Amino acid sequence: MERPHLKLPPWAKSLSARLLVLTVSFVMLAEVFVFAPSVARFRIDWLEAHLDSAYLAALALEATPDQMIPDDLEKELLSNAGIEAVILRREDRKLLLQRDDMPAKIDKDVDLTSFSIPMALLEGFSTLTQTGNRMLRVIGMPSMAPTFEIEILVHEKTLTEAMRDFGWRVMGLSLMISFFTAGLVYFALNRMMVLPMRTLTRDMIRFRETPQDKNAVIDPGHRDDEIGVARQELASMQQDLQAMLNQRRRLAALGTAATKISHDLRNALATSMLMTEQLAKSQDDEVRAVVPRLLSSMERAVYISEQTLSFARETPPPRDLVKFTLVELIEEIRDQILLQKSDPLLDGAAESETKLSLPCTAQIEIDLPNDVMLEADYDMLFRAFSNLMRNPLEAGANTVWVSVQKVHGNSQSIQDGHFIEVLISDNGPGLAEKAIKNLFIPFAASGRQGGTGLGLAIARELIAVHNGDLRLAATGPDGAIFCVKLPVSS
């Protein structure tokens, strides 16, 4: 299969460009810490070199018998040394050479006999940024005669120009080093990181477009670094996702078939129930005795079919919102449940035994305030609470308690800033461990024989449609407690 075209960002926005810019910037930043000491060192070396040249010029003067030389020769010696004047101090005398008869005005003294790094950096930066032409008097000791002190007068402009030329050379060399280093880092990291990331992205896009294709699972390769681990984890995730998709596909096909079967079965059972009700009018006592149990079994089958069809819907039906009190909803559910359980036909008794039938022993006790108002779909909540109240009675409980607790919530997430917690508790045997583990999982969480496991799943879905929640609060040998959280209407 041809791999899909990977649309990459433009080069200016790519990781490669950012990597190149960052590398050059960091190298240039490092060069700043090299540039300042280099220029300061150049300034000191330049002044010391002129001290040595001045010392040689002074020696020419000292070599004459009368320590006098022609003016032209004196100016030539000073010009070759690049200075304006020189004073060589001996123990017993002082030698002086200068270009002009009038002494120059001194603007700044530079003492090379006392050296400190901060002062050298500061003086170097000052000279480098100098725009005028100050006259400097430099005091130091020549390297050829460290025991003699010498003073020279030199124009700072010459030093500034020399330092700037040196600075440009250092900057140019720094740029060459930075770009060369950045190029090496760029190509190395581009090959080690950027290209593998592009390949990984291309493989992810390929898998996204054809997740069921086994060839779309990436080859993790043999890298043992972070990218190799990422590829291995991605390959494992893709394999797990393919297995899950295959399972979901099979379950979807099975669910479609079950939905069709449930629909046809419900229609057939409805017809059978009508015919069975006619049998109840038979004069034969044995036939009438069988009819109630037959009707009860058919109603149970119809209920299971309706549960399956309802859960098979991709989305819940649209809500028909109305305002009603919580207590009227629960009381109607109670009356319906108790009426069904007290019906002798549903209990399997013959019509002739109606007068002898015992009253219903199940109890549903309601402790609800009368002012709790809900704005919801009445039928949806009727079905949800009916499942929650009916389940414990069918599991063996004989008493169900329904109470409510008002809780203040966040006004940004729940209408009017309030919601209620309705507690449905019973005195039944509680939930089995398997049922607790598979709670709210369709077809897996039934706590009684013959159940579908859809009741709690559907109830939770219908409550979630109303921005509420259903959870198991407690369970044990003394019974179970379910908690329903619903928004309260104003």
Side-chain angles (χ1 to χ4, degrees):
M1 178 183 294
E2 183 180 357
R3 291 193 172 187
H5 176 67
L6 179 60
K7 184 179 180 181
L8 297 175
W11 187 86
K13 296 182 179 180
S14 65
L15 289 176
S16 302
R18 297 177 184 179
L19 180 63
L20 181 62
V21 172
L22 286 177
T23 306
V24 173
S25 301
F26 291 156
V27 173
M28 290 302 299
L29 182 62
E31 288 295 334
V32 170
F33 296 99
V34 177
F35 178 81
S38 299
V39 172
R41 182 72 258 180
F42 176 83
R43 173 177 174 275
I44 294 175
D45 292 341
W46 190 90
L47 293 176
E48 289 180 346
H50 281 66
L51 284 177
D52 291 339
S53 299
Y55 177 71
L56 293 177
L59 288 181
L61 176 63
E62 189 178 18
T64 58
D66 53 357
Q67 296 183 353
M68 295 291 294
I69 58 175
D71 294 340
D72 295 339
L73 179 59
E74 183 178 4
K75 292 180 180 180
E76 184 176 357
L77 289 174
L78 295 175
S79 177
N80 292 334
I83 57 179
E84 297 298 320
V86 56
I87 301 175
L88 178 62
R89 299 182 185 276
R90 296 286 191 175
E91 295 179 356
D92 54 347
R93 61 188 183 279
K94 179 174 70 173
L95 300 178
L96 172 64
L97 290 176
Q98 60 180 7
R99 288 191 182 186
D100 300 324
D101 295 336
M102 295 296 295
K105 180 182 178 182
I106 299 174
D107 298 312
K108 182 177 179 60
D109 291 333
V110 179
D111 189 0
L112 298 180
T113 58
S114 59
F115 174 80
S116 65
I117 295 178
M119 184 59 66
L121 294 174
L122 183 61
E123 293 291 340
F125 182 77
S126 176
T127 301
L128 187 64
T129 57
Q130 187 59 236
T131 57
N133 187 18
R134 297 183 300 181
M135 180 64 70
L136 303 180
R137 180 172 66 179
V138 183
I139 303 172
M141 296 180 180
S143 59
M144 293 173 288
T147 59
F148 296 102
E149 184 179 281
I150 190 173
E151 298 179 10
I152 62 173
L153 299 181
V154 61
H155 288 290
E156 190 177 22
K157 183 178 180 179
T158 306
L159 174 58
T160 300
E161 293 176 352
M163 289 180 63
R164 289 176 179 174
D165 292 340
F166 175 78
W168 283 115
R169 291 194 300 271
V170 171
M171 184 173 294
L173 181 61
S174 299
L175 285 174
M176 292 177 59
I177 295 174
S178 63
F179 277 106
F180 179 75
T181 305
L184 293 179
V185 174
Y186 168 77
F187 286 111
L189 295 183
N190 191 63
R191 183 175 181 83
M192 294 175 60
M193 296 181 61
V194 178
L195 291 180
M197 288 299 297
R198 289 182 179 179
T199 303
L200 186 63
T201 305
R202 186 182 296 112
D203 291 335
M204 293 170 64
I205 294 176
R206 180 188 179 192
F207 182 82
R208 182 197 63 189
E209 295 183 351
T210 57
Q212 298 178 356
D213 185 7
K214 292 184 177 181
N215 295 327
V217 177
I218 68 170
D219 180 12
H222 303 286
R223 293 185 60 163
D224 55 357
D225 55 5
E226 288 79 1
I227 294 181
V229 173
R231 292 187 64 87
Q232 294 173 7
E233 293 298 324
L234 179 60
S236 177
M237 182 187 68
Q238 289 177 342
Q239 293 172 357
D240 295 342
L241 183 59
Q242 279 192 346
M244 183 179 66
L245 289 175
N246 292 333
Q247 183 182 12
R248 291 290 180 88
R249 187 171 62 253
R250 291 193 295 268
L251 290 176
L254 180 61
T256 302
T259 302
K260 293 179 179 178
I261 295 173
S262 297
H263 182 271
D264 296 338
L265 180 61
R266 185 184 62 171
N267 293 335
L269 289 173
T271 303
S272 300
M273 290 180 66
L274 293 176
M275 297 177 64
T276 304
E277 290 176 356
Q278 296 298 322
L279 292 177
K281 301 177 182 180
S282 174
Q283 300 299 324
D284 191 336
D285 293 339
E286 293 184 359
V287 173
R288 292 202 310 271
V290 174
V291 168
R293 295 185 180 274
L294 184 59
L295 281 174
S296 178
S297 299
M298 287 183 178
E299 288 178 354
R300 183 61 183 166
V302 171
Y303 177 75
I304 294 174
S305 299
E306 290 177 350
Q307 294 281 77
T308 304
L309 287 172
S310 176
F311 187 76
R313 297 191 186 101
E314 293 184 359
T315 57
R319 296 181 300 166
D320 184 12
L321 299 180
V322 293
K323 285 190 176 183
F324 54 91
T325 60
L326 177 64
V327 65
E328 66 175 301
L329 172 68
I330 301 301
E331 286 179 349
E332 183 177 353
I333 296 173
R334 177 197 60 187
D335 296 341
Q336 185 188 73
I337 294 176
L338 295 182
L339 178 64
Q340 291 176 351
K341 292 190 69 62
S342 63
D343 191 340
L345 292 180
L346 294 182
D347 288 340
E351 185 177 357
S352 60
E353 301 174 352
T354 303
K355 296 181 181 180
L356 301 177
S357 61
L358 297 175
C360 176
T361 58
Q363 297 181 11
I364 299 179
E365 298 184 4
I366 301 175
D367 182 15
L368 299 175
N370 296 324
D371 59 347
V372 176
M373 184 71 65
L374 301 178
E375 184 176 6
D377 189 298
Y378 191 90
D379 293 334
M380 285 188 181
L381 292 188
F382 187 96
R383 185 178 180 187
F385 280 103
S386 178
N387 281 333
L388 292 172
M389 296 166 61
R390 188 190 305 269
N391 284 344
L393 297 177
E394 295 180 353
N398 55 29
T399 305
V400 174
W401 295 272
V402 182
S403 59
V404 66
Q405 179 182 5
K406 184 176 289 187
V407 181
H408 294 276
N410 186 352
S411 61
Q412 295 180 353
S413 61
I414 299 177
Q415 185 178 1
D416 297 330
H418 299 84
F419 61 89
I420 57 171
E421 288 186 350
V422 183
L423 303 179
I424 298 99
S425 55
D426 62 79
N427 61 350
L431 296 177
E433 183 177 356
K434 179 180 179 182
I436 296 175
K437 290 182 179 179
N438 298 321
L439 203 63
F440 307 119
I441 299 178
F443 307 108
S446 177
R448 65 185 185 278
Q449 186 176 2
T452 62
L454 288 175
L456 289 177
I458 294 176
R460 191 181 199 185
E461 181 178 307
L462 294 176
I463 293 172
V465 171
H466 293 82
N467 299 320
D469 185 35
L470 170 62
R471 61 183 176 87
L472 176 64
T475 184
D478 297 331
I481 302 177
F482 282 89
C483 179
V484 179
K485 183 174 71 174
L486 285 172
V488 177
S489 176
S490 58

